[in-house]
Amino acid sequence: MTENAQQQPASNPELPTQYAPAEVEGKLYERWVERGYFAADPKSEKPPYTIVIPPPNVTGSLHLGHAFEHTLIDALTRRKRMQGYETLWQPGMDHAGIATQNVVERELAKEGKSRHDLGREAFVERVWQWKAESGGQISGQMRRLGDGVDWSRERFTMDEGLSQAVQTIFKRLYDDELIYRAERIINWCPRCLTAISDIEVEYQDDEGELVSIRYGEGDASIVVATTRAETMLGDTAVAVHPDDERYAHLVGTEIELPLTGRRIPVVADTHVDPEFGTGAVKVTPAHDPNDFEIGQRHGLPNLAIMDEHAVITAHGPFQGLDRLEARSTIVGALRAEGRIVAEKRPYTHSVGHCSRCKTTIEPRLSMQWWVKVGPLAQAAGDAVRDGRVNIHPKEMESRYFGWVDNLHDWCISRQLWWGHRIPVWYGPNGEVVCVGPDEQPPTGEGWTQDTDVLDTWFSSGLWPFSTLGWPEQTESLEKFYPNAVLVTGYDILFFWVARMMMFGLYAMDGTPPFHTIALHGMVRDQFGKKMSKSFGNAVNPLDWMDTYGSDAVRFTLARGANPGVDVPIGEDWVQASRNFANKIWNATRFALMNGATVEGELPPTEQLSAADRWILSRLNATVAEVDAYYEDYQFSKLSDALYHFAWDEVFDWYVELSKTTYFAGGEQARVSGRVLGEVLDVTLRLLHPIVPFVTETLWTTLTGKESVVIADWPGDSGFRDAAAEREIELVQRVVTEVRRFRSDQGLQPGQKVPARLTLDGTALAPHEAAIRQLLRLQPEGEGFSATATLPVAGATVALDLSGTIDVGAERKRLAKDLAAAEKEKAQAQAKLGNEAFLAKAPDNVVDKIRTRLAKAEEDIARITAQLNSLPEA
């Protein structure tokens, strides 16, 4: 990179009168990429700073959640780049096994074909073709947002290098007996025809039915309740609690299972809650995870009664029925036999659905591949406990421990064709061979490879090191591993984050994949409701970018980002952020037109006015404040600090305070122009990580240098001037109080009013011209009559309002407002003086009443002062 000091600013730099984001954003981004600003060099001697992108699905497009997360990551990496770090933001995409296979299968269906018509090899080729033609549109959308990723390093979880990493770690885990094959209950999607992970199951309240069924006869009968009556065909026991005396005489006996002609045992198991329902549960080990565990403890047979399409396979009159058809048919048959004791319909209960196709999932006993997570999860927990990894915010630690300390073994096999195929071969005589990436698979008659592929989370769990070339010991791996921080949503803390922790510690000799896990919340609408197409409140961030610019969207998202907390967002807020970008543009344009410059050294302190010293003091305080917020991932607070410093202190106060100096010309105008240039230079650099496009245009125009992307991050010089800050605060108090008074009198902001200012003996005396300019106060002139006098900050401002207001009407209005404020004060005091009320009222209610009292007292003082300032009518 070149130091950006090649050229000097033009003598009269010009900017268009209005900022047009659409005309500059795309060109600026391509320029940044072409110049290699985002490229990370492993040979660099700079300290590394690495963040990986949470890889979006190859089928995906940019949504507000992506835009939010990417804005935060981009802000972090842009700042670190400016601070002198060799910064890598690693991009890439996930192959998204189920989602991508579904997309291509839908395309085939339009042609009247299925994947089976093509065969596995041709289908996989078709998916690769789809990826080349249609996949990855999110990459272009990331450019729209301004993502400063190193595109030369873009990776895909199915590319050659990452596939080698997947095969390598599978082999190592297998050899260490941490991967095994076993028959267990899994989440099964009858539509996608595959096992799915817990994170791919979405639970929602569905209306169904709860039926109570009598098993057995007379004293040897038990009533059980179920929402899935069809599974009774696979019951192999009824379970009761060992201490439940109601059923003690039946434990160890057998009772008749209706409709089947089979008899099943009654077993005692502590899993049963004797207080829930009848205290007895039906046990279907092949179709329920809890029942499977009961079955294992009691040696019960596993009787599967459905196929992969959720069609009944049990012999009898229900064979061939879909599970839902079978449910109603079986209930009817039980009712005909007098076995239905009670029916509750509708019965609302939580039901799991496939997140991809929304089909109701079916617990199913299946032979699958598993990761033994015990030792891996222990290591993942220890890395946080011993401080090698910090979770931010810290209160999220308990949720992390609650997950990793109770992890069940992880089902990693999927019955798909698109994905990393499991590298295991089966021989003709029962041989099982796991093949590493550098090994030849066994050949000969009877040898076949496992048909399943790996869970997508398996490959994305390797992301922090596989993207850097692992298992090869590359320069990039040595330089950029581990990551500095992982920025991701708390919703996948348990899934992606935990898997990266387990795999990173295992593969990288105990070195965790990142030092810090910074968790953010979910983007919601302005009312706090989850965004969803079905709710009609989903927003395409590209639409907002088109209308308001990418900077406006980014600033809105960053300003709402409190660690671990959900983020409400509405279009009005984006519009307000657009207004902020326009304010930055217009104020910088005004400054450039009036002598703001970065040329030469800052003048010595003795040449600076109080306003100059005040703004430089506030500037350095803001630098320190913003740095502290960045280190604590407080994006909302740092954005607010920048907003109020830029808009309020720089543009609304310092620029206005300095106008009289600019217009007067001379040496003091030159000094203030240099100070304003310094302030704008630093402010634009501070703002750049959040709003990169507008700041790039303004900063390069102001400084004449190459790019703010590679500029130095501002440092706190340590300059503070408490006296100047107190002096300007007095000016602000005078201006604010008089402005409020003018507003209360109904005067227009630009309306000029004759005034006498008595400032002698105060720190305000040197600022009379600026105060008059800010308040639109004319000299008193002949015939001046002080109809209103305002004492403020040790000074007096006398105003001649004759001819501008009706004093009698104004006194009448103020008297009415004063009476209302006194009534409010009396009511609040009465409640706060009532001991019985205080003893019963919640703290938040009492606090609200105290706030009302303080507000009423403030209003009384303000209105009384206004009345006293008016002449008698």
Side-chain angles (χ1 to χ4, degrees):
M1 302 295 176
T2 57
E3 189 65 32
N4 41 151
Q6 297 90 332
Q7 50 185 330
Q8 293 299 317
S11 56
N12 291 298
E14 293 184 2
L15 291 168
T17 55
Q18 291 184 324
Y19 178 51
E23 295 179 12
V24 301
E25 290 179 349
K27 295 175 184 177
L28 284 181
Y29 188 84
E30 290 310 313
R31 183 188 308 162
W32 293 336
V33 173
E34 288 169 5
R35 292 180 177 179
Y37 294 158
F38 306 140
D41 181 6
K43 298 181 184 299
S44 168
E45 295 183 0
K46 296 178 182 178
Y49 186 82
T50 313
I51 296 181
V52 294
I53 191 173
N57 287 353
V58 67
T59 59
S61 59
L62 190 75
H63 56 63
L64 266 180
H66 290 129
F68 171 58
E69 188 167 78
H70 290 199
T71 294
L72 305 188
I73 299 174
D74 197 40
L76 290 174
T77 53
R78 284 178 182 269
R79 172 174 174 262
K80 284 297 181 180
R81 188 178 293 112
M82 295 171 76
Q83 286 182 315
Y85 287 79
E86 192 62 30
T87 302
L88 168 60
W89 182 9
Q90 173 67 54
M93 286 182 292
D94 192 288
H95 65 277
I98 295 177
T100 307
Q101 181 157 318
N102 281 349
V103 167
V104 178
E105 285 195 88
R106 283 196 294 269
E107 286 194 354
L108 286 173
K110 295 175 184 176
E111 302 169 14
K113 299 177 182 177
S114 74
R115 59 182 165 121
H116 299 285
D117 294 323
L118 272 66
R120 183 170 193 142
E121 186 175 339
F123 176 77
V124 170
E125 287 181 4
R126 178 70 176 261
V127 180
W128 279 109
Q129 179 184 341
W130 174 87
K131 176 189 179 292
E133 295 173 355
S134 305
Q137 65 175 359
I138 196 171
S139 296
Q141 296 163 347
M142 287 165 58
R143 293 170 182 264
R144 285 284 312 278
L145 188 64
D147 285 5
V149 301
D150 185 348
W151 289 110
S152 69
R153 292 174 174 267
E154 187 173 14
R155 304 303 299 268
F156 180 55
T157 51
M158 285 281 286
D159 68 27
E160 184 177 350
L162 269 64
S163 295
Q164 182 184 32
V166 167
Q167 196 171 352
T168 299
I169 202 163
F170 187 100
K171 171 69 171 174
R172 291 187 187 179
L173 290 165
Y174 181 87
D175 289 346
D176 287 343
E177 298 183 349
L178 293 173
I179 282 183
Y180 64 94
R181 192 169 185 246
E183 193 174 44
R184 300 266 185 90
I185 293 285
I186 45 87
N187 302 308
W188 181 264
C189 176
R191 156 61 184 81
C192 298
L193 298 179
T194 182
I196 60 176
S197 66
D198 291 338
I199 197 173
E200 292 164 326
V201 178
E202 293 180 347
Y203 288 90
Q204 66 185 48
D205 288 339
D206 286 357
E207 284 192 358
E209 60 181 355
L210 179 68
V211 294
S212 298
I213 310 167
R214 178 171 52 83
Y215 288 13
E217 300 292 344
D219 292 338
S221 67
I222 294 181
V223 174
V224 297
T226 181
T227 58
R228 301 165 65 218
E230 70 280 6
T231 63
M232 67 161 292
L233 300 176
D235 286 358
T236 56
V238 171
V240 298
H241 194 276
D243 300 331
D244 195 334
E245 295 181 358
R246 293 172 294 176
Y247 304 115
H249 66 290
L250 292 176
V251 173
T253 67
E254 291 185 343
I255 59 174
E256 181 186 350
L257 178 65
L259 305 181
T260 67
R262 290 192 290 114
R263 295 184 67 79
I264 58 176
V266 178
V267 299
D269 195 280
T270 54
H271 172 76
V272 180
D273 180 2
E275 303 298 323
F276 184 78
T278 64
V281 296
K282 57 191 288 298
V283 181
T284 320
H287 294 278
D288 183 274
N290 293 321
D291 292 3
F292 178 78
E293 297 296 333
I294 294 174
Q296 292 290 294
R297 288 193 287 272
H298 296 277
L300 301 175
N302 301 317
L303 185 58
I305 52 96
M306 290 184 213
D307 65 11
E308 65 270 25
H309 298 280
V311 171
I312 301 298
T313 57
H315 292 298
F318 313 109
Q319 186 175 10
L321 295 179
D322 174 79
R323 56 182 167 168
L324 299 181
E325 295 176 304
R327 182 175 301 171
S328 58
T329 305
I330 287 171
V331 169
L334 290 167
R335 190 183 297 113
E337 288 192 4
R339 294 282 179 179
I340 300 296
V341 175
E343 296 180 67
K344 186 174 183 180
R345 188 185 294 111
Y347 177 73
T348 302
H349 61 127
S350 182
V351 178
H353 296 259
C354 173
S355 63
R356 303 300 178 191
C357 68
K358 311 308 177 187
T359 301
T360 301
I361 64 106
E362 190 66 40
R364 185 168 187 256
L365 186 64
S366 179
M367 182 67 76
Q368 302 286 345
W369 285 93
W370 304 81
V371 172
K372 186 185 296 183
V373 299
L376 302 174
Q378 176 70 43
D382 290 345
V384 175
R385 288 188 174 93
D386 63 26
R388 281 175 289 158
V389 178
N390 297 306
I391 293 180
H392 191 280
K394 192 171 179 61
E395 54 266 26
M396 287 284 182
E397 276 189 4
S398 60
R399 296 179 66 178
Y400 176 79
F401 292 135
W403 179 258
V404 298
D405 293 347
N406 297 283
L407 268 180
H408 298 294
D409 285 359
W410 170 21
C411 175
I412 56 171
S413 47
R414 299 291 180 265
Q415 290 64 56
L416 303 171
W417 287 356
W418 172 245
H420 295 102
R421 194 164 174 181
I422 289 176
V424 171
W425 273 255
Y426 305 106
N429 299 310
E431 302 96 333
V432 179
V433 177
C434 180
V435 177
D438 300 321
E439 300 171 351
Q440 291 298 319
T443 57
E445 187 176 350
W447 283 94
T448 58
Q449 185 179 359
D450 196 299
T451 58
D452 289 351
V453 299
L454 287 164
D455 178 12
T456 297
W457 295 100
F458 191 94
S459 51
S460 60
L462 314 180
W463 194 245
F465 51 94
S466 64
T467 52
L468 298 173
W470 187 91
E472 300 298 324
Q473 295 303 306
T474 64
E475 285 183 317
S476 291
L477 186 64
E478 183 178 352
K479 177 75 174 180
F480 296 114
Y481 186 91
N483 286 201
V485 61
L486 173 75
V487 179
T488 192
Y490 64 71
D491 57 319
I492 56 173
L493 170 65
F494 314 132
F495 303 101
W496 187 47
V497 178
R499 281 148 175 69
M500 285 190 291
M501 285 286 284
M502 291 191 295
F503 281 167
L505 289 160
Y506 174 79
M508 299 301 293
D509 299 320
T511 301
F514 18 73
H515 297 303
T516 298
I517 302 168
L519 298 169
H520 59 72
M522 312 299 293
V523 179
R524 297 182 178 273
D525 72 11
Q526 59 190 340
F527 306 109
K529 190 174 181 180
K530 180 180 178 181
M531 285 192 174
S532 167
K533 290 181 181 178
S534 60
F535 295 155
N537 62 351
V539 173
N540 183 346
L542 297 171
D543 292 339
W544 281 353
M545 289 183 212
D546 289 341
T547 305
Y548 304 109
S550 297
D551 284 333
V553 173
R554 289 171 61 113
F555 192 76
T556 304
L557 291 165
R559 203 174 180 191
N562 289 300
V565 179
D566 288 346
V567 183
I569 184 172
E571 187 167 3
D572 288 350
W573 305 341
V574 185
Q575 186 173 355
S577 295
R578 188 271 313 275
N579 295 344
F580 178 52
N582 288 342
K583 181 76 171 182
I584 299 169
W585 182 272
N586 293 332
T588 304
R589 184 172 179 273
F590 168 83
L592 289 169
M593 292 171 62
N594 288 277
T597 180
V598 295
E599 292 188 56
E601 297 294 324
L602 272 175
T605 305
E606 59 269 18
Q607 293 184 18
L608 303 179
S609 68
D612 294 335
R613 287 181 280 114
W614 164 74
I615 197 62
L616 290 174
S617 181
R618 290 295 308 129
L619 176 68
N620 280 288
T622 300
V623 170
E625 185 179 16
V626 168
D627 276 335
Y629 285 142
Y630 261 116
E631 295 306 313
D632 200 35
Y633 303 100
Q634 297 279 359
F635 295 97
S636 177
K637 290 181 179 179
L638 73 88
S639 299
D640 259 350
L642 288 169
Y643 176 91
H644 289 296
F645 175 70
W647 192 308
D648 300 342
E649 297 186 282
V650 179
F651 304 144
D652 279 358
W653 283 107
Y654 180 69
V655 170
E656 294 299 320
L657 284 169
S658 302
K659 277 184 178 179
T660 52
T661 303
Y662 297 144
F663 298 152
E667 179 60 17
Q668 194 56 50
R670 185 195 68 78
V671 170
S672 291
R674 179 64 186 89
V675 171
L676 180 55
E678 182 75 12
V679 171
L680 288 174
D681 170 19
V682 173
T683 302
L684 291 170
R685 282 186 279 152
L686 289 174
L687 282 164
H688 173 72
I690 305 292
V691 285
F693 295 107
V694 67
T695 51
E696 171 79 341
T697 305
L698 295 174
W699 190 85
T700 53
T701 303
L702 171 70
T703 67
K705 296 180 181 179
E706 182 181 335
S707 174
V708 70
V709 176
I710 52 173
D712 292 335
W713 181 253
D716 176 7
S717 70
F719 176 79
R720 300 289 192 280
D721 192 324
E725 290 196 34
R726 287 193 298 271
E727 188 172 326
I728 299 304
E729 283 171 9
L730 291 177
V731 175
Q732 291 173 322
R733 280 181 57 191
V734 171
V735 172
T736 301
E737 286 297 320
V738 176
R739 278 177 174 168
R740 182 183 295 122
F741 178 79
R742 287 175 56 112
S743 176
D744 289 341
Q745 309 309 314
L747 297 177
Q748 296 299 315
Q751 187 173 350
K752 295 183 178 180
V753 176
R756 176 188 300 135
L757 273 61
T758 307
L759 308 176
D760 295 341
T762 73
L764 293 165
H767 302 286
E768 178 169 352
I771 291 172
R772 286 186 178 275
Q773 171 73 24
L774 290 166
L775 290 171
R776 304 294 189 269
L777 302 180
Q778 294 177 314
E780 49 193 278
E782 292 185 14
F784 176 82
S785 175
T787 59
T789 304
L790 302 174
V792 57
T796 303
V797 179
L799 304 173
D800 184 354
L801 303 178
S802 57
T804 60
I805 62 170
D806 183 333
V807 175
E810 186 61 20
R811 277 190 165 279
K812 189 174 181 180
R813 182 184 71 79
L814 289 172
K816 183 178 178 181
D817 291 347
L818 181 62
E822 289 173 337
K823 181 179 179 181
E824 175 74 2
K825 176 183 176 181
Q827 290 175 341
Q829 286 178 326
K831 286 190 175 181
L832 293 173
N834 185 334
E835 295 296 333
F837 170 78
L838 293 177
K840 294 179 181 179
D843 290 345
N844 65 321
V845 173
V846 175
D847 288 342
K848 285 182 180 179
I849 295 172
R850 289 194 178 114
T851 301
R852 282 171 50 195
L853 175 60
K855 176 67 166 55
E857 290 174 337
E858 182 183 315
D859 288 345
I860 290 169
R862 176 177 55 81
I863 297 169
T864 301
Q866 291 174 22
L867 280 167
N868 292 338
S869 70
L870 291 174
E872 295 297 326

